[in-house]
Every structure is written in C-alpha cells, then in structure tokens.
Amino acid sequence: DATDSRNLQTISGIGNAQTYPLTECILFRCKELQSDGFSKFLERCPHLHTLSLLGCSELKELDLATLFEMVPELTVLTCPPNFGDEALQSVIRNSFQMKSLYLSTSGRITSVGCNALEHFHSQTLRHLTLPHTTNDLVISTIAPVLSNLTYLDLDECPITSTSVSLIFAQCLTLHTLSISDCTRVTSSGLSPLSDSQNPRAGTQLRSFNAMAVPLGDEAIEALANRCFLLKKIDLLSNHLVTDRGLTALVTKCIHLHTINASLVSHATDIFVSCLASIGSQRGPQLDLEIYGCPNISAASIVSLLQSRVINLLNVSPDIFRHIQDNGLAHLVSELQCSRGDPIL
C-alpha cells in the first residue's frame, strides 16, 4: 500500500526501450499512486491479464477512461473507487478477453454505466460483481450478458424479486449467487426453481448468499428440491424460515458443507437433530454457524457435537461456555464464539 508512481516506474523498467512481461498486478490501497505514473506503467506492461486497483483513490476517472486501451489482454479487473461510467464504457469498448469484472468497489458507477454492459462484447465473461446502484431496470437491460456467468454478486443492490427470478430463469450456468442485504427480494424471486418448464434453472448452483433476505420456507424448499449441487448457503438474519425449510435443505442437498443459520429466529432443536442424524451418514464435513438462535438449546448442540459431523462450529457465548465447561471442545476442529474470532 506504499506503492507510488516512482515505484511502479522502477518495477516496470521505465527508461528501458523494451516492455516488461508482467501479467498480474495487485495494487491494494495505493493512495499515493497518481494517474500519470500509472499510465507509464501500463505502457510498459501491455500483457497484463490481472489488474486490481482496490482502494487506489488518487486515480482519476477521466484518466482511467483512456488507460484501458493500453491493456487489451486484460482478463481480470477490480476497479478503484473513482472508476465511473466513462471508465466502464472504455472497458466495454476495449476488453475482448475479460473473464472477471469486479465493479462493486466503485462508488461512481451509475445505472447509465451499468446499462452500457448491454453492449459488452466479451463472450468470455464469467465472474461479475455489480455496483450498489444496480436496480431491476439494469438487470433486465443487461440480462443477455449475464446468461453465461458462473459467479454473480449483487450484494446491497436495490433489486426486487423480479431481478432474482430473471437471473434464475436465464443464468443456467450460475455456480455462485450473492444477494446479501437485498431486502426487497422475497420468496417469489426463487419461483423459477419450481418451474417444470425450465428444469435446468438452479441446477448448477453451488453457493447461495441470502443474508438478511426475507425468504420463507417455500423458497428454501424450492432451493432444496432443485439445487442438488449446493455446497454453501448463508441465511444469516432470516426471520421467516423455519425448521421446515432448514431440514429440507440439509436432507436433500447432500453436498452441503457450509451453513450459516445464525440469527435465524425460528430455528429450533428439530433442525439441529436433523443435522446430527443426516450428518452421521455423510461423515465429518460440516461448517456450521448457528449463534443467536434463541430456540436452540445447548443440549442439542452437544448431541450434534457427539455425532462427530461438525468441522467448524460458531455458537452463542452461553453455548460456547457450556461446551468448554463440559470438556467437549475436542469434538470439533474449530470452535468460535458468536461472530467469533477462532478460539480453538
């Protein structure tokens, strides 16, 4: 993070006639980095494939709009804070091999810039994070670009169930979907998973982050009935789902190894007992976060530990103390407390 323009000029061999064969450059919070020095660096490194500018706040938007013409082989880009609509449009015009584009780190991209993704000619794009200005209109506009994605992050975007439904219906190769804090999304967003006319919807999904999204049992059951490859799910702060949805999930998604059911207020010992019985048939593979659930007892967690199916466990302080006081911490590889830093 101490890298400045002079450092980059030295690294890239400024002053020599030849270019530098650098293919990956990660500049994390290099707040002294200026546009002029960065421009000279890119001139010497035309073969860059991966470029991360996270936190490089001194790079100016208008300069960024011209810089991407220098790196036509770019395949991975994490944008800086001042990355705006013009810079995004420059990437769209000049990047023919882009595979991963991370835009959520910018606070300058508007819906106008997002809509320009409709014209993105890269057929190779697989990973995309969208800025927090993304709304339903943007999603409907750029839907064709999303169809080949395997990873899509829409955290904190003001989208509704309409967008999520469209994504599930059209993005048939999606492995990871994150809609954390998209609080306007409801269970109807997962309706394509119950559509017999679209049997491929959701079948490739491996990871689903719905933290603080008000999904009910019907949505979780649809997920369980269709997403057989699911390995990881985050339902933190869900106050609608009950044991019905949770038990369907762990019963039918046999590859599931990471569950965050913390602050799921309606989860009870029934869910924990189901985990113990199902898990004993699959071996010790489960990472479970389950703190802040008032209807889950220490006794049920102890029984779960004794079934030897848990790898990582994150529980509330009272249950953590109960486990420690009874000498049971050795039954889990890693024990955490509440939002926990690793304890053991």
Side-chain angles (χ1 to χ4, degrees), residues 154-157 178-183 209-213:
L154 291 162
D155 290 352
E156 300 180 33
C157 293
S178 186
I179 54 172
S180 171
D181 289 306
C182 295
T183 55
N209 182 354
M211 183 180 77
V213 178

Side-chain angles (χ1 to χ4, degrees), residues 139-155:
I139 294 298
S140 64
T141 301
I142 68 173
V145 176
L146 306 179
S147 60
N148 292 320
L149 295 180
T150 60
Y151 176 100
L152 178 59
D153 185 334
L154 291 162
D155 290 352

Side-chain angles (χ1 to χ4, degrees), residues 29-158:
R29 294 182 181 174
C30 299
K31 298 179 180 179
E32 301 300 318
L33 181 61
Q34 302 289 327
S35 297
D36 56 347
F38 185 58
S39 174
K40 293 175 183 177
F41 168 74
L42 290 183
E43 287 177 1
R44 295 293 181 175
C45 301
H47 302 296
L48 274 179
H49 290 174
T50 299
L51 180 60
S52 178
L53 301 172
L54 185 63
C56 297
S57 55
E58 290 303 309
L59 296 176
K60 306 302 182 185
E61 179 181 358
L62 292 178
D63 297 326
L64 286 167
T66 63
L67 292 178
F68 294 106
E69 300 175 6
M70 305 178 188
V71 281
E73 298 177 19
L74 203 61
T75 60
V76 180
L77 173 64
T78 302
C79 68
N82 291 328
F83 190 95
D85 292 345
E86 290 192 43
L88 178 56
Q89 289 167 1
S90 177
V91 169
I92 292 169
R93 288 192 304 270
N94 296 290
S95 301
F96 295 91
Q97 303 177 48
M98 190 68 70
K99 294 180 180 178
S100 302
L101 184 56
Y102 303 109
L103 302 173
S104 60
T105 51
S106 170
R108 301 285 296 276
I109 300 175
T110 70
S111 58
V112 174
C114 288
N115 284 334
L117 284 168
E118 176 188 12
H119 306 293
F120 201 39
H121 44 63
S122 175
Q123 298 300 310
T124 60
L125 190 65
R126 295 294 178 268
H127 292 192
L128 180 64
T129 69
L130 287 168
H132 303 325
T133 53
T134 303
N135 55 29
D136 285 347
L137 179 59
V138 169
I139 294 298
S140 64
T141 301
I142 68 173
V145 176
L146 306 179
S147 60
N148 292 320
L149 295 180
T150 60
Y151 176 100
L152 178 59
D153 185 334
L154 291 162
D155 290 352
E156 300 180 33
C157 293

Side-chain angles (χ1 to χ4, degrees), residues 304-319:
L304 179 62
L305 287 177
Q306 291 172 334
S307 69
R308 297 297 186 106
V309 302
I310 301 296
N311 177 54
L312 178 148
L313 181 65
N314 189 353
V315 291
S316 299
D318 57 332
I319 295 179

